Amino acid sequence: MEKIAARNAIKIGAAFLSLMVVWSFLTPLFSGPDEPSNFIRSAAVVRGEWVGENYPASIEKSYWTTYVHIDPQFGAANAIPWCFAPFPEKPGCGIAVEDAPVVDIPTWTNMGRYPPLPFVISGIGTMFGATNMSVLMARVMTSLVSAMLIACSAYAIMRRKQSLVGLLVALTPGTIFLASAMNPSAFEICSAIALWSVLPSVHQGQVHDRIIQYIFIVTGVLLIATRPIGIAMYVAVSVISWVAFGSTKLIPFIKANKVALLIHSVTAALMAWWYVAVYSYQTSPSLTAGAEKVSVTTQFTRSMNHIPELLDQVVGNFGWLDTPIPRGALWLYVLCAAVVIIAALNQLGKRSALALTMLSMTVVCVSIAVDMNFYAMFGWFGAQGRHIAPILVGAPLLVVTQASFGKRFHNAIVISWSVVMVWAALGALRRYTVGVNGNNTFSMFTERAWNPSIGFWVSIILLVTTTVLVAKTVISSRQALADQ
């Protein structure tokens, strides 16, 4: 059983990797949020500059910007995307990194004080120097690790002989986009998905399966060490999963998983130190101190009203928050997710129902907390969908853990997810080939101002091919498990 699950998980990971790599060609380099700064930070970290020199806090550059003393040509990335980002009506443009003029010496990055682990991963791709090839390879490294985490999720789920439809619903087009660009949020979301997927196995006592134990260790470390609020995300996922699946006997659980929990504790301690000593180095005085502020009640109300937009972003936004998923694709995804969750609710136990309620409340609380924190520091509400995604993705994974579905239902969800994925990608392609200007949806077929580097029609063919490959692999994996 373990060998069959492992073999199929590898196939699923490879299929998703191919899909992510295709997505990376559908959008211009640096079209991912904060991608220029992520690129510079990645290049600096692998060259030994883990933080850099302090840059005075400002509204324009935030609290976390630092100077890094690397080849100034890397810094040219900061200016490249502003001919199209964040302007949805403007198609993709920009010159190559190696040809762009250098305007800032030393180079700066907005990500200078963020935890270094994710930038080590993407930084491996920057060994080609300050070139477009390095940007592309850094994207591929992000996709590779994200695909490996998806494979880990699939293994844990199939090891329990359960349906993969919850995993598909959790893997929104927005997550695939982040994993195809260069963004730490891809690691955060995918590691959270893997942790949500493996914890039921851990609670069921499958700790003697070495792969399960390794997945538990690695996903916990990545979730904790990827972003500043990683510790909070890890605690939220762990507590909610404990409520849903855990035994009431805590001591035996700790003893059975002492190695993993020790490694997670050490990682959490290191990240707590990083948060206090490095990340929060100059955030004590607020940049908005002395400015007139709205009341706490107004902040709370505006944060609550912001939540629907955050949920929209989780499903898909393919740029600097300027390219929402096509509305038809959004509603098809919502319908697909709702059908899966409603069908699973009928099979949900009381503890899982309580955990789902806790999850929903946690998503709301995190959304409000992040928005109010942004307002306190910057005077605006800056929560994004990717900030709540690590918790929100637990909803389909949690409810499906105790559910079983027929073959037709399973295949219908897989096909619907595939349609959403292709539809969303075509929406992103339209935005970057011609820009979103009125009813110009079909102009990208005849009047393109920007083309993917591998060609427009080749990109579409590969998009459909890799999406079908993912669907076929998921369907065949279910059949392989059913035959056991």
Side-chain angles (χ1 to χ4, degrees):
M1 179 62 199
E2 294 91 337
K3 292 182 179 180
I4 295 175
R7 185 165 57 249
N8 284 285
I10 292 172
K11 292 179 180 178
I12 289 172
F16 269 101
L17 175 60
S18 67
L19 177 62
M20 292 170 184
V21 171
V22 171
W23 264 78
S24 72
F25 286 104
L26 295 178
T27 60
L29 300 181
F30 305 119
S31 57
D34 301 317
E35 196 171 8
S37 281
N38 292 334
F39 175 62
I40 296 167
R41 171 83 165 129
S42 300
V45 168
V46 297
R47 287 164 176 79
E49 195 152 6
W50 282 38
V51 179
E53 180 185 341
N54 188 51
Y55 189 110
S58 67
I59 289 291
E60 294 77 17
K61 295 293 193 295
S62 77
Y63 300 91
W64 305 286
T65 300
T66 61
Y67 291 114
V68 288
H69 300 278
I70 58 175
D71 181 355
Q73 193 64 44
F74 281 103
N78 279 322
I80 289 176
W82 296 106
C83 54
F84 65 84
F87 313 110
E89 73 280 1
K90 295 184 179 181
C93 52
I95 59 177
V97 174
E98 55 266 36
D99 298 328
V102 175
V103 294
D104 295 305
I105 301 177
T107 296
W108 55 267
T109 169
N110 285 337
M111 302 291 110
R113 297 188 178 278
Y114 277 67
L117 179 58
F119 301 103
V120 172
I121 297 170
S122 54
I124 295 172
T126 69
M127 300 311 292
F128 293 93
T131 64
N132 275 9
M133 176 61 73
S134 283
V135 184
L136 180 59
M137 292 309 298
R139 282 184 163 194
V140 170
M141 287 303 302
T142 303
S143 298
L144 177 61
V145 174
S146 299
M148 290 173 63
L149 290 167
I150 292 171
C152 290
S153 304
Y155 174 82
I157 293 170
M158 291 188 293
R159 183 73 174 79
R160 299 192 300 269
K161 297 184 178 181
Q162 292 171 343
S163 173
L164 291 171
V165 296
L167 177 60
L168 282 186
V169 173
L171 289 166
T172 65
T175 297
I176 300 300
F177 166 70
L178 290 172
S180 72
M182 192 191 324
N183 197 296
S185 291
F187 300 136
E188 182 186 30
I189 297 170
C190 290
S191 62
I193 289 173
L195 189 61
W196 279 111
S197 300
V198 78
L199 277 173
S201 300
V202 174
H203 289 306
Q204 289 175 11
Q206 293 184 9
V207 292
H208 299 299
D209 182 334
R210 287 189 177 183
I211 298 179
I212 291 294
Q213 190 69 194
Y214 292 152
I215 292 172
F216 182 32
I217 293 172
V218 171
T219 56
V221 168
L222 274 174
L223 182 57
I224 293 168
T226 291
R227 286 177 55 83
I229 60 172
I231 298 174
M233 292 296 173
Y234 174 85
V235 170
V237 173
S238 299
V239 170
I240 294 172
S241 293
W242 176 265
V243 171
F245 311 111
S247 166
T248 55
K249 298 178 180 179
L250 185 60
I251 300 302
F253 172 79
I254 294 175
K255 288 183 177 179
N257 299 277
K258 57 182 180 294
V259 174
L261 295 176
L262 176 61
I263 293 173
H264 293 168
S265 298
V266 171
T267 305
L270 289 172
M271 286 301 100
W273 170 82
W274 186 278
Y275 187 91
V276 173
V278 180
Y279 182 77
S280 301
Y281 177 77
Q282 58 181 359
T283 57
S284 295
S286 171
L287 294 174
T288 61
E292 184 177 352
K293 295 185 178 181
V294 300
S295 66
V296 173
T297 302
T298 302
Q299 292 179 44
F300 179 83
T301 302
R302 291 185 62 179
S303 297
M304 285 291 293
N305 293 338
H306 194 197
I307 291 176
E309 184 179 349
L310 302 186
L311 298 177
D312 190 333
Q313 292 172 6
V314 171
V315 181
N317 197 298
F318 314 121
W320 294 60
L321 301 183
D322 59 14
T323 310
I325 186 173
R327 299 299 87 180
L330 171 67
W331 289 115
L332 178 57
Y333 171 84
V334 170
L335 176 63
C336 181
V339 168
V340 169
I341 292 174
I342 291 172
L345 285 176
N346 295 327
Q347 308 173 57
L348 211 60
K350 291 183 178 180
R351 291 185 59 175
S352 294
L354 174 60
L356 186 60
T357 302
M358 289 179 60
L359 185 153
S360 303
M361 295 174 62
T362 303
V363 167
V364 173
C365 290
V366 170
S367 301
I368 295 172
V370 172
D371 250 342
M372 295 181 72
N373 182 247
F374 262 89
Y375 184 79
M377 292 194 297
F378 297 108
W380 46 275
F381 298 90
Q384 298 178 27
R386 57 196 175 102
H387 298 149
I388 62 171
I391 299 175
L392 188 61
V393 294
L397 292 166
L398 191 155
V399 298
V400 169
T401 299
Q402 296 179 335
S404 59
F405 307 106
K407 181 179 179 180
R408 289 184 178 179
F409 181 92
H410 181 274
N411 291 350
I413 296 300
V414 174
I415 293 171
S416 298
W417 178 90
S418 302
V419 171
V420 170
M421 191 60 60
V422 172
W423 195 344
L426 290 176
L429 196 54
R430 172 211 179 183
R431 181 263 183 267
Y432 291 109
T433 53
V434 295
V436 180
N437 291 296
N439 297 319
N440 69 334
T441 302
F442 298 103
S443 297
M444 65 177 179
F445 296 108
T446 57
E447 303 171 5
R448 294 181 295 279
W450 176 86
N451 279 288
S453 59
I454 59 174
F456 178 79
W457 289 107
V458 171
S459 297
I460 290 180
I461 292 171
L462 290 177
L463 168 66
V464 174
T465 301
T466 53
T467 304
V468 170
L469 177 63
V470 170
K472 183 178 183 301
T473 305
V474 171
I475 291 174
S476 62
S477 296
R478 180 188 185 279
Q479 186 59 47
L481 291 175
D483 292 339
Q484 295 303 305

